[in-house]
């Protein structure tokens, strides 16, 4: 009985899912595409335009369809030798924003912003350290001053601390100097 109920509820949910399965994202993105042609699946199936060297096929054309572009596309269906170089470039620019060489040349000046960000980050970190030392940390204890450490060493020698292998083993008590 329970198995039959479970089976029927699964069949109903699968039936509802199969009725909702058309690409909802593609349908809603059509308004963003406007008068441009969707020419392929695109990156992740979304009808968007992006210039990438690792994925050279954007889903939509770069520019919207105008009368000049549509007449060139009709002329393109014929012999390509009859097209002038300017017409071929216009067709290319209607489909793509940049060439491969233009895409690859974009990263040549990025080192400047990376360097500036790194210098800014290091400078900010140094200012934080200065602020912490001035306002957050307490002053160093007196036991870390050289005078205090010298007094403590003299006291350890007077008490003969570590006479066999320690500090006092390196002190000559008769000559009052280090061995």
């Amino acid at each position: 009985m329970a198995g039959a109920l479970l089976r029927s509820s699964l069949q109903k949910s699968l039936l509802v899912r199969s009725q909702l399965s058309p690409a909802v994202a593609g349908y809603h993105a059509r308004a963003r595409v406007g008068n441009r042609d969707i020419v392929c699946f695109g990156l992740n199936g979304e009808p968007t335009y992006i210039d990438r060297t690792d994925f050279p096929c954007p889903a939509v054309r770069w520019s919207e369809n105008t009368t000049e572009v549509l007449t060139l596309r009709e002329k393109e269906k014929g012999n390509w030798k009859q097209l002038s170089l300017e017409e071929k470039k216009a067709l290319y620019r209607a489909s793509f924003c940049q060439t491969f060489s233009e895409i690859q040349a974009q990263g040549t000046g990025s080192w400047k912003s990376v360097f500036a960000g790194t210098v800014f980050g290091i400078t900010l970190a140094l200012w934080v350290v200065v602020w912490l030392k001035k306002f957050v940390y307490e002053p160093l204890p007196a036991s870390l001053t050289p005078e205090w450490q010298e007094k403590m060493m003299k006291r350890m020698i007077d008490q003969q601390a570590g006479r066999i292998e320690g500090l006092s083993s390196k002190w000559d008590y008769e000559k009052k100097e280090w061995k």
Side-chain angles (χ1 to χ4, degrees):
M1 177 74 177
L5 286 174
L6 181 64
R7 200 174 308 118
S8 67
S9 66
L10 282 175
Q11 287 174 350
K12 288 178 185 177
S13 67
L14 289 175
L15 181 65
V16 169
R17 285 186 187 161
S18 67
Q19 291 172 352
L20 295 176
S21 66
V24 176
Y27 176 76
H28 291 294
R30 189 69 182 154
R32 289 183 295 162
V33 171
N35 192 17
R36 297 186 292 172
D37 295 333
I38 296 178
V39 290
C40 70
F41 184 75
L43 187 65
N44 296 331
E46 290 289 322
T48 57
Y49 184 88
I50 186 167
D51 282 326
R52 293 177 59 148
T53 55
D54 61 337
F55 191 79
C57 300
V60 295
R61 295 192 192 273
W62 169 244
S63 63
E64 292 192 5
N65 293 327
T66 60
T67 56
E68 299 90 25
V69 172
L70 290 175
T71 56
L72 281 175
R73 289 220 178 100
E74 285 299 320
K75 195 173 179 184
E76 165 185 47
K77 293 177 183 176
N79 190 358
W80 273 58
K81 291 182 180 179
Q82 294 175 354
L83 290 173
S84 68
L85 184 62
E86 289 77 24
E87 291 173 334
K88 290 177 186 177
K89 286 181 181 180
L91 279 170
Y92 183 84
R93 290 298 179 175
S95 295
F96 301 101
C97 179
Q98 296 176 326
T99 63
F100 277 113
S101 59
E102 290 171 347
I103 294 170
Q104 291 170 346
Q106 284 178 347
T108 57
S110 64
W111 69 271
K112 297 172 192 173
S113 59
V114 170
F115 180 73
T118 304
V119 168
F120 177 76
I122 291 171
T123 305
L124 181 68
L126 289 175
W127 278 110
V128 167
V129 167
V130 167
W131 181 81
L132 286 172
K133 284 190 173 192
K134 186 167 183 169
F135 296 110
V136 177
Y137 296 146
E138 295 177 0
L140 293 176
S143 60
L144 291 178
T145 61
E147 297 85 20
W148 183 280
Q149 289 177 353
E150 189 177 323
K151 287 180 189 176
M152 286 303 295
M153 187 182 302
K154 186 175 183 325
R155 184 166 184 239
M156 289 174 71
I157 290 171
D158 290 343
Q159 291 178 346
Q160 296 182 0
R163 183 150 176 106
I164 297 174
E165 293 182 0
L167 181 70
S168 296
S169 67
K170 296 176 178 76
W171 180 258
D172 189 355
Y173 286 95
E174 294 170 1
K175 297 180 184 175
K176 303 277 189 202
E177 61 183 29
W178 293 104
K179 292 182 183 178

